[in-house]
């Protein structure tokens, strides 16, 4: 509201929306001007996505008024929103995996053959998609199946799709959660270009530093209510956080152990998996947080999955407490005290239709069997209650289905699961993806606590500040190889990036690329593209 | 009660080795004639009895047979495919119990064109291609059942019927034979319900129970094949109503025979399934030998009850 | 790290979607049918007819119990009907042909079902064949084997008269002479209680739900999903085996040609009972209600002497409506 | 195709997992069966028998075509068999009872199928009833209605002799007299080509795949998913309608009791053909191959005079193995 002269493109006032049992939006408001980037922030479950889904015609509002260009509108379905020039990039990927990139981008608006309403013109479709991708500097063949792309590429396809509508209002719900620095830079360039063309952009993110770079105004929501809107230059991050959580968050400095432990808990020797991993060797010590850094698709998740027995390995040795172990299934891993917190909690972390309690005890269920052979409900409830309390899991009850919880809360449920399993080696893969600042600092604190209790922790993260802040040691990967190891003292963003782009790994070994395996010059994106087809 | 229909009790037990059987194989000692027998089904006991007769004849006349039939009597198309495949096997003759008397004709024409004699059994085909048909007159047989029913319930009251199939020839003929006879000859008898149990013992049981529940004044129950009547018997047993209903069945089978012996069931119509199977293969052998055959071989039906069930003549017609 | 104090969101509101109300409503369809048929025919609400309905539910109910587990994993089982038949035949073989004692024969029957379920389970979990196809194949094989083993002839239990008592005797009647409820009904209810306890109280039940909800996440939680899935299919098969024993006892014979098509009734019972075909949720109580809805409907239409072709039409419509009512109810909750 | 220049990345590699190789391999199962049966019996590889196989595939193939679309949406259609029957009956009613011209009668038959499909589609998309239950209900209703309308009697087309020619005449035979391939086979191949074009070249096919791949994402993209899904079920129903017409023409009669259980053969053909039951992928060519695998298997076992109960056992095993082979093949690609 600082620039009173700019005419609002969209206004939303008095918006109310309830889901069974949850009052998600309570008299909420929001406005958007042409040619601005308006950031929307709030804790997990604050109602950001819900508010924007109302605007995009996905949810019907219970009450309230939406105007566009000053005219009141009813947005009954996504089609109506599109017709009004509103397009949305969803927090979750919303792609048809079996279809190609081009088919995904233009779904619902396929070019037709001449004189025909039903026959598709796929040549034009691919050409249009190619143009669009090129404009975004994306090197993706529009005929690639989306299933064959990495998550980051899929996210970029989503963005391309949203842009293809040439919308006047573009809503981005956490577009950067799965992107690398370079892709984020590319995205920001696109956003700036659109802004200069007069597009109004809603930008939802938990990465508050980004807001400073890209947004013009920031609106804060809490508990389904509107809190305030401030011009970005006038706001400090601390201020915004305070508005978000309604209190000051004390961000502790990394609490590194004074004395480094010598006890090696996990040792990995020469782990290989054709086309994905090459000669992975490292050690993990008791009480240590070992950071795994690298660009998207560097193979960090693959290392974790290989150690955890989720994917087969071709060769290599794993030693737990100095003993060689055979880990062929996740069950073996859990038995040897390894827990894995996946980067994609919905797909790999949670039984979404089940309640909080079951999810929390799932990995350790056998421990809760009583003499009769039944699951001891009293103990599972007690354990779940304990974790709900210590992790501050925001759930109405233990019987709440996990699918009804917000993303950050879900993540905490997964953490609770591995705490219940009480494994002494924990692999956290992107533990703070999609998590609000409050929850994030809690998770950091948790990681430190766990390390201090003697757990050995691997933390995979694409956020360099997070890696730098949390890790005792940092392993950097590129193209399926470990390209270097840094101690906390020698680590810096620059040092990590240098190692993370040290190419010449397994892709070159495959030998069939026409690309430039040795070149460091190209954008980091290339990495995932190349290994993706391997 | 005596045999209720004119019938030539073609006892299958001891066929005189016919001239045909000795004459034909003389030239081709190595290759036995091949005669596919395609029935209307194969899982039900009735068809298994037919199969037993056909296999006996195959031994007696030194021929090869195969016996197959679709899983349900509704599957007209599957039977067509079986006949077609059988013809592709270049058989010497073909025995067929047509599910649909018209649908088969084109294939029978092909058989005729290829010089393969066709023998019908169980029920006829609307065509003069079959050199003979060994069949039961189901309409007359069911009418006999109706007469017995009327006699035993005293000419008046409520009667229900369970039939195995609503659309198959045997199902229709037995239902209509029974129903029409009652309508014509016994005005004081009402048929209160006709339901179809697919020949499935369990379903027929629950079906019969519901009918009995719905009609407390029911006096008689007719089951038109083995599965149907066993359903009725189970229902009566489970409801503890033994002796309160006149039960008349069809075909044989151990449970039905036991019920007749014990008096739970009044009696039943039996065809001559073993004889039908035997007869059709025998006719095929005769046709191959160039014999002239009567166009219709009535294989007959009989009423049996506790009084005559153990007569050797009747026993020969029954299967367990 | 106690954050509770900071959260001001009124989550308590979610508590109103009470599960108890939910369960009472699930009975609604059944009760509506009961009332309608009772008003339409005086012969419906008689003791004998109610016993008839209970008895008619026994076999389908048992099959449906097993199918419930399998549908909860997100799978399907088309083989229940013919596996039931094969179990009945094997029971007959054991008792009549091999002359084994009845309890052993019963175990052979149940074991046959479990074995067939095991084949389903291994095909699905080890060979990764989709459940629809795996169980379709086993359905055909069981059908064929039942005929092969029995020689396509029924096996009668006349020489072991006690066998029939398993289904048709009446323990209840021995205690309360006026209420001769056949044992088959007790077996159904007993099996349902055990099935309920397995689903809600045991590790197996919990894993069953978890696998149906998210198989991969369950695997990544260190659960041996393949083994548990196999076990669940075997358990489902065991219920078909019990169904086979009860059917054989009721018919006092093992009928080898029965069983085709029974799977659809069993699956319908499960789905009408509110178990989601996409897996991850379901209750035994629901399945039992679903099985009774089907039996009551079939029985009621027969009692009313509705022509059979119309019975089919009406049943088809009501199956859809029953599930639709369940959907509406959930949406409102 | 103008992209090669802009991209420095070797996309060509994706071409090696060539769909062509894939498709040739899909034939492998079929060819193996052919070779085995040809070696085992001299009567197998005869012109007459091959025509017999083709003819036996016609109806199941047509049903399977329709089911392919529906499985691609991630749904299932249990009603195809009885809807086929209902369509045959309505064709009979139109031509024989109402005396309408044959082409109109054929349209009535196809229209009946489409209408039944529409009911499926609306029940699924508007009432949100799961496809299994919706089509199970319609299956029962169609079965009942076929009996009601026909009076449970076959309707014979003897007075319209040209009708039979639709299936059993031979256009090919008129041109090449030695090759009397029945028209039913041409209808199957013609329908398959149209089905293929619809799936790959039209908006409907695209949305079909999109819905099966991710229904919610398709909806969020502004596609009217409910309407398209309804249309797809109606299209599937139309193929059942064509199947019904061909069935009636082949039998020269509309048999009202046929059709129960036919849905399983059709679904098996689709899945053996590599269409995933979880939706999103599938091909018409695969379905046709799947349908032929079933027919060749059935025919070959009969030609070999394998006892019928063993035929069931073998068919069951081979259905599983065929799908397993497909799974292995995909895993290797
Ligand atoms: N479809 C739904 N059904 C029931 N509850 C829902 C649904 N969608 C959202 N909610 C609830 O509404 C509230 C707001 O959720 P929303 O997704 O809008 O939060 P958010 O601000 O986007 O959070 P996050 O940062 O975690 O994405 C949460 O309590 C959530 O659990
Ligand atoms: N299931 C799979 N099949 C084939 N290739 C895969 C599979 N999963 C991952 N890959 C490829 O392996 C490479 C390594 O991916 P991985 O997910 O391990 O990277 P990462 O460093 O963990 O990155 P991210 O930050 O996305 O988690 C990527 O190029 C990816 O495309
Ligand atoms: Mg959100
Ligand atoms: Mg990763």
């Amino acid at each position: 509201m600082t620039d009173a002269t700019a005419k609002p493109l969209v206004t939303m006032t008095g918006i109310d929306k309830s889901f069974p049992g949850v009052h998600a939006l309570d008299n909420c408001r929001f406005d958007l001007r042409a040619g601005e980037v308006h950031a929307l922030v709030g804790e997990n479950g604050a109602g950001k996505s819900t508010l924007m889904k109302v605007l995009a015609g996905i949810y019907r509002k219970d009450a309230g008024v939406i105007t566009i260009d000053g005219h009141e509108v009813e947005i009954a379905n996504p089609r109506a929103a599109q017709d009004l020039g509103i397009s949305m990039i969803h927090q979750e990927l919303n792609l048809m995996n079996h279809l190609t990139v081009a088919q995904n981008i233009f779904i619902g608006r396929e070019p037709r053959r001449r004189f025909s309403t039903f026959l598709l013109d796929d040549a034009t479709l691919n050409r249009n998609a190619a143009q669009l991708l090129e404009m975004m500097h994306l090197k993706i063949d529009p005929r690639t199946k989306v299933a064959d792309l990495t998550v980051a590429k899929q996210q970029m396809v989503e963005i391309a799709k949203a842009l293809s509508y040439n919308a006047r209002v573009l809503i981005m719900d956490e577009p950067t959660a799965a992107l690398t620095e370079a892709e984020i830079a590319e995205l920001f360039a696109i956003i700036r270009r659109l802004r200069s063309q007069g597009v109004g952009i809603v930008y939802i993110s938990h990465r508050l530093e980004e807001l400073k770079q890209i947004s013009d105004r920031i609106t804060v929501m809490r508990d389904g209510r509107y809190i305030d809107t401030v011009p970005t230059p006038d706001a400090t991050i601390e201020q915004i956080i305070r508005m978000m959580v309604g209190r000051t968050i004390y961000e502790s400095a990394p609490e590194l152990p004074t004395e480094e432990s010598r006890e090696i808990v996990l040792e990995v020797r020469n782990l290989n998996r054709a086309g994905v991993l090459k000669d992975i060797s490292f050690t993990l010590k008791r009480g240590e947080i070992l950071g795994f850094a690298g660009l998207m698709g560097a193979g960090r998740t693959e290392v974790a999955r290989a150690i955890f027995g989720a994917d087969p390995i071709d060769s290599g040795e794993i030693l737990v407490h100095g003993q060689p172990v055979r880990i062929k299934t996740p069950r073996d891993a859990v038995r040897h005290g390894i827990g894995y917190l996946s980067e994609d909690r919905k797909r790999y972390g949670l039984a979404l239709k089940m309640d909080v309690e079951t999810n929390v005890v799932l990995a350790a269920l056998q421990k809760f069997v009583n003499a009769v052979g039944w699951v001891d409900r009293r103990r599972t409830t007690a354990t779940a209650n304990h974790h709900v309390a210590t992790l501050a899991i925001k759930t109405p009850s233990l019987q709440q289905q996990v699918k009804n919880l917000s993303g950050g809360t879900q993540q905490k449920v997964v953490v609770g699961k591995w705490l219940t399993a009480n494994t002494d080696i924990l692999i956290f893969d992107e533990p703070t993806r999609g998590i609000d600042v409050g929850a994030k600092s809690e998770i950091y604190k948790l990681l430190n606590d766990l390390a201090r209790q003697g757990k050995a922790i691997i933390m995979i993260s694409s956020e360099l500040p997070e890696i730098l802040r949390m890790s005792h040691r940092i392993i950097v990967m590129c193209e399926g190889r470990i390209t270097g190891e840094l101690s906390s003292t020698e680590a810096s963003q620059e040092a990590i990036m240098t190692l993370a782009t040290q190419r010449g790994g397994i892709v070159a070994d495959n030998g069939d690329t026409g690309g430039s395996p040795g070149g460091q010059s190209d954008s980091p994106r290339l990495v995932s593209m190349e290994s993706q087809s391997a | 009660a005596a045999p209720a229909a004119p019938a030539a009790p073609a006892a299958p037990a001891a066929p005189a080795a016919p001239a045909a059987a000795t004459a034909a194989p003389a030239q081709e000692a190595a290759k036995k004639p091949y005669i596919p027998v395609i029935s209307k089904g194969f899982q039900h006991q009735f068809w298994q009895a037919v199969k037993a007769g056909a296999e006996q004849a195959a031994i007696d006349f030194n021929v090869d047979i195969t016996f197959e039939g679709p899983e349900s009597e509704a599957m007209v198309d599957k039977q067509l495919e079986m006949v077609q495949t059988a013809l592709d096997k270049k058989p010497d003759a073909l025995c067929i119990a047509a599910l649909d008397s018209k649908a088969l004709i084109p294939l029978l024409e092909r058989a005729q064109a290829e010089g393969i004699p066709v023998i019908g059994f169980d029920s006829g085909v609307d065509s003069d291609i079959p050199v003979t048909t060994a069949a039961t007159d189901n309409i007359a047989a069911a009418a006999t059942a109706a007469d017995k029913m009327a006699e035993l319930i005293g000419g008046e009251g409520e009667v229900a019927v369970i039939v195995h199939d609503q659309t198959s020839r045997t199902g229709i003929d037995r239902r209509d034979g029974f129903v029409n006879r009652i309508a014509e000859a016994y005005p004081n008898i009402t048929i209160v319900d006709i339901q179809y149990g697919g020949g499935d013992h369990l379903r027929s049981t629950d079906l019969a129970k519901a009918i009995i529940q719905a009609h407390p004044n029911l006096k008689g129950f007719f089951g038109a094949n083995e599965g149907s009547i066993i359903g009725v018997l189970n229902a009566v047993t489970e409801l503890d109503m033994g002796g309160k209903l006149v039960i008349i069945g069809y075909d044989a089978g151990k449970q039905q025979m036991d019920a007749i012996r014990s008096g739970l069931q009044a009696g039943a119509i039996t065809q001559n399934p073993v004889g039908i199977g035997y007869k059709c293969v025998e006719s095929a052998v005769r046709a191959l030998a160039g014999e002239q055959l009567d166009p219709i071989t009535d294989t007959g039906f009989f009423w049996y009850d506790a009084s005559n069930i153990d007569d050797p003549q009747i026993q020969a017609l029954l299967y367990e | 790290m106690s954050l509770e104090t900071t959260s001001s969101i009124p989550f308590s509101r979610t508590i109103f979607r009470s599960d108890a109300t939910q369960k009472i409503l699930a009975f609604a369809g059944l009760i509506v049918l009961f009332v309608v048929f009772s008003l339409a025919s005086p012969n419906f609400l008689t003791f004998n007819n109610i016993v008839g309905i209970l008895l008619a539910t026994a076999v389908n109910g048992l099959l449906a119990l097993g199918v419930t587990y399998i549908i909860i994993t997100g799978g399907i089982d088309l083989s229940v009907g013919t596996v039931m038949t094969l179990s009945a035949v094997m029971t007959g073989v054991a008792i009549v042909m091999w002359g084994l004692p009845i309890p052993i024969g019963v175990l052979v029957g149940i074991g046959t079902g479990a074995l067939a379920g095991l084949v389903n389970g291994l095909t699905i979990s080890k060979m990764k064949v989709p459940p629809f196809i795996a169980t379709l194949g086993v359905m055909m094989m069981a059908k064929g084997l039942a005929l092969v083993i029995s020689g396509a002839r029924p096996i009668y239990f006349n020489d072991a008269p006690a066998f029939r008592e398993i289904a048709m005797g009446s323990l209840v009647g021995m205690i309360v002479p006026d209420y001769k409820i056949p044992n088959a009904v007790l077996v159904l209810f007993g099996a349902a209680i055990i099935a309920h306890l397995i689903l809600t109280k045991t590790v197996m039940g919990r894993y069953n739900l978890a696998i149906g909800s998210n198989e991969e996440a369950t695997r990544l939680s260190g659960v041996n999903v393949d083994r548990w899935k196999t076990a669940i299919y075997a358990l489902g098969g065991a219920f078909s085996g019990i169904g086979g024993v009860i059917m054989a006892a009721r018919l006092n014979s093992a009928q080898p040609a029965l069983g085709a098509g029974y799977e659809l009734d069993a699956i319908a019972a499960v789905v009408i009972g509110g178990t989601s075909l996409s897996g991850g949720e379901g209750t035994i109580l629901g399945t039992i209600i679903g099985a009774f809805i089907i039996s009551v409907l079939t029985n009621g239409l027969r009692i009313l002497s509705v022509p059979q072709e119309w019975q089919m039409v009406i049943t088809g419509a009501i199956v859809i409506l029953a599930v639709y009512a369940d959907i509406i109810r959930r949406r409102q909750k």
Side-chain angles (χ1 to χ4, degrees), chain A residues 331-343:
Chain A
R331 184 173 154 70
D332 298 335
V334 174
R335 257 198 309 229
H336 288 111
I338 304 174
Y340 173 58
L341 201 120
S342 148
E343 60 186 327

Side-chain angles (χ1 to χ4, degrees), chain A residues 89-134:
Chain A
I89 299 163
H90 292 274
Q91 188 169 7
E92 284 85 29
L93 285 172
N94 266 296
L95 295 168
M96 284 66 73
N97 278 330
H98 299 93
L99 299 190
T100 68
V101 170
Q103 289 167 355
N104 265 282
I105 291 175
F106 289 104
I107 185 78
R109 299 161 296 141
E110 294 79 2
R112 314 290 158 96
R113 284 179 198 242
R114 254 194 294 172
F115 314 120
S116 164
T117 41
F118 289 111
L119 293 180
L120 297 166
D121 180 357
D122 275 349
T124 307
L125 178 82
N126 286 328
R127 207 173 325 115
N128 292 350
Q131 275 166 8
L132 185 67
L133 293 170
E134 198 182 351

Side-chain angles (χ1 to χ4, degrees), chain A residues 275-295:
Chain A
V276 184
L277 295 178
K278 184 158 176 166
D279 284 338
I280 302 293
S281 303
F282 66 91
T283 57
L284 175 67
K285 298 186 197 111
R286 190 181 145 81
E288 172 182 53
I289 298 178
L290 177 62
F292 263 71
L295 300 173

